[in-house]
Amino acid sequence: MDLINQINTPVMNSKFLIYQYFEEKSHHLNSKITFKYQDLSKKSISKYAHKFSIDYKFYDNGAPFLTYYGIFLPFLNGNYKNYDAICFIDSDVLATIDAIDIFENIDINNINTLHMNTGPLVVEKINSENPWNELGHANSGVVVFPKLIYEKIVKFLGDLSEHFKKNDHNYLGGYDQLVVNNFEKKHGFSNLNYKFNYHLGRYNVNERKNTYFIHYHRNFKKLMNQDIEKEWVLT
């Protein structure tokens, strides 16, 4: 499933949360980036949340084991309980002025993620390392967790210790992304429209302004410092 306005969308008066995670100690992971890209992302994504009357949180500590696991923090601290769906957005993402409400474009029955062989690819497909699904593996840069899967995800995660012990950091992106993929293998998924996770490692860089969420993966982060000044970025 990869649709805009999917049929199983939340009802009116639902309450939603968008959250991000970044710890200063993780900045060494992008040591070639000299500016605080996470602050640019926070500025843009918080503005997006406000635009659609969505609650917003930026976590800067509390992830167990590794900073990558910050995506799962609401399920460990209980913050998910007051919401009909929550959406994690990575700290290297900017929203565009044309971005529409992501919560009006999800499947409420499944976890919603972008799979890496979908959308207008400009690179080769990567099916060879992803035998579990022909759409490729899930990218954890933008993930929507609807209420109907809360019980499943909480049970699956536990305290994350077992996932940490067994994590192969070189498979399917490793870390949090491997956990997400393993959850999908067991419980299924719905494919998020590519415009909500426009991954610059997969799609045409020159078309990024015509999307919703731009994911400045790895070396593409350097573009965030110039894009934040563009009229098509939401700030």
Side-chain angles (χ1 to χ4, degrees):
M1 183 179 296
D2 186 11
L3 305 172
I4 294 293
N5 291 320
Q6 295 177 10
I7 58 174
N8 296 308
T9 52
V11 297
M12 292 181 61
N13 301 319
S14 296
K15 188 176 181 182
F16 305 116
L17 171 69
I18 286 175
Y19 64 103
Q20 298 185 274
Y21 190 96
F22 186 92
E23 289 186 53
E24 286 295 333
K25 67 181 181 181
S26 66
H27 193 65
H28 74 279
L29 299 173
N30 300 284
S31 57
K32 294 182 179 179
I33 306 300
T34 58
F35 61 93
K36 292 188 174 183
Y37 63 88
Q38 71 273 18
D39 289 347
L40 305 184
S41 182
K42 180 180 180 180
K43 181 179 181 181
S44 182
I45 300 303
S46 63
K47 184 74 172 183
Y48 170 85
H50 178 76
K51 179 179 178 180
F52 293 104
S53 300
I54 298 167
D55 285 0
Y56 174 82
K57 293 183 184 294
F58 189 96
Y59 298 101
D60 60 9
N61 65 82
F65 306 112
L66 295 168
T67 183
Y68 299 104
Y69 295 122
I71 181 176
F72 305 119
L73 188 57
F75 296 106
L76 302 176
N77 64 20
N79 284 349
Y80 71 95
K81 295 178 180 179
N82 295 323
Y83 297 97
D84 295 286
I86 64 175
C87 174
F88 171 78
I89 298 180
D90 217 341
S91 57
D92 57 356
V93 173
L94 298 177
T96 69
I97 59 172
D98 293 326
I100 60 178
D101 188 346
I102 190 171
F103 291 108
E104 292 185 355
N105 295 277
I106 62 168
D107 181 352
I108 63 171
N109 299 297
N110 291 306
I111 189 173
N112 292 248
T113 57
L114 170 76
H115 281 246
M116 297 293 277
N117 286 346
T118 63
L121 298 176
V122 294
V123 297
E124 291 185 11
K125 290 187 176 182
I126 48 178
N127 278 329
S128 59
E129 65 175 274
N130 310 295
W132 76 276
N133 193 277
E134 65 179 7
L135 298 182
H137 67 260
N139 179 268
S140 60
V142 179
V143 182
V144 182
F145 303 92
K147 190 173 185 177
L148 289 177
I149 70 163
Y150 286 171
E151 184 176 344
K152 294 177 182 178
I153 191 72
V154 169
K155 182 178 181 180
F156 182 81
L157 293 175
D159 64 0
L160 279 174
S161 60
E162 290 303 311
H163 295 284
F164 177 69
K165 291 175 184 177
K166 298 176 181 178
N167 204 304
D168 180 350
H169 304 316
N170 296 312
Y171 182 59
L172 301 180
Y175 306 103
D176 60 301
Q177 190 160 285
L178 180 55
V179 176
V180 168
N181 276 273
N182 285 337
F183 176 81
E184 291 192 355
K185 289 180 188 179
K186 184 174 183 179
H187 295 289
F189 68 90
S190 288
N191 196 52
L192 193 64
N193 185 275
Y194 73 93
K195 289 188 175 184
F196 286 113
N197 186 353
Y198 196 81
H199 193 291
L200 294 187
R202 309 295 294 156
Y203 305 131
N204 189 337
V205 175
N206 296 325
E207 293 295 322
R208 64 189 184 278
K209 70 178 182 179
N210 299 316
T211 61
Y212 304 145
F213 296 159
I214 308 168
H215 190 175
Y216 296 82
H217 185 61
R218 295 185 180 174
N219 292 334
F220 290 102
K221 286 179 176 62
K222 59 188 178 183
L223 294 176
M224 294 178 71
N225 212 22
Q226 66 181 49
D227 282 1
I228 197 68
E229 303 295 334
K230 302 292 187 181
E231 70 279 0
W232 39 266
V233 169
L234 187 63
T235 58

